[in-house]
Amino acid sequence: MLTEEELRRDYNYKRAQLEEQAEEIRRGEQTFNQLMEEASKDISQMLREAEGDASEASQFSRYRLHQLSEEYGEKFQAEKRKIQQQLEEAEHEFNRQYRQLKEGD
């Protein structure tokens, strides 16, 4: 059976790993949002410079960028929920094992 110190160490290690994963997701989301904004600016600039009526192309590009933003936003949110659930499960398991340890004393 694990000691209290080992139990805490294992829990803290797992929590740190999950928190790092959550931070990686946040950084990925920020990078994605920056890329989307840059792409939007670049497309707008190209359309302004294009000859003729570019309103249809402009509307389509805005629609597609919005669609991509929604799609990836949902993926980022799903990953965040997954990490949060794993954190909650780790805490629940720690508490369960800790109670077991204390009951055995």
Side-chain angles (χ1 to χ4, degrees), residues 8-100:
R8 286 184 189 280
R9 183 194 65 225
D10 291 349
Y11 169 71
N12 288 333
Y13 177 74
K14 180 179 269 189
R15 184 170 184 85
Q17 285 182 312
L18 291 169
E19 287 173 348
E20 177 57 32
Q21 288 176 12
E23 183 58 32
E24 287 175 19
I25 291 168
R26 281 189 287 279
R27 285 192 302 265
E29 186 175 30
Q30 287 175 339
T31 299
F32 175 78
N33 289 336
Q34 288 171 345
L35 290 172
M36 290 296 290
E37 189 167 327
E38 289 171 19
S40 180
K41 287 178 184 177
D42 290 345
I43 290 169
S44 294
Q45 179 65 33
M46 285 187 273
L47 291 173
R48 279 193 299 275
E49 293 171 358
E51 294 181 20
D53 184 18
S55 63
E56 188 176 325
S58 178
Q59 288 174 342
F60 177 76
S61 67
R62 279 195 299 268
Y63 165 76
R64 188 63 185 123
L65 287 173
H66 177 73
Q67 201 176 33
L68 285 170
S69 181
E70 293 263 328
E71 181 182 330
Y72 280 91
E74 289 172 6
K75 289 180 181 183
F76 284 120
Q77 291 306 315
E79 286 299 314
K80 288 178 187 178
R81 283 191 300 273
K82 182 178 161 186
I83 296 293
Q84 184 59 41
Q85 182 179 4
Q86 290 174 333
L87 281 166
E88 290 170 6
E89 288 171 0
E91 185 173 348
H92 177 74
E93 183 61 19
F94 167 78
N95 288 331
R96 186 188 67 75
Q97 289 180 348
Y98 185 76
R99 280 192 307 275
Q100 258 183 345

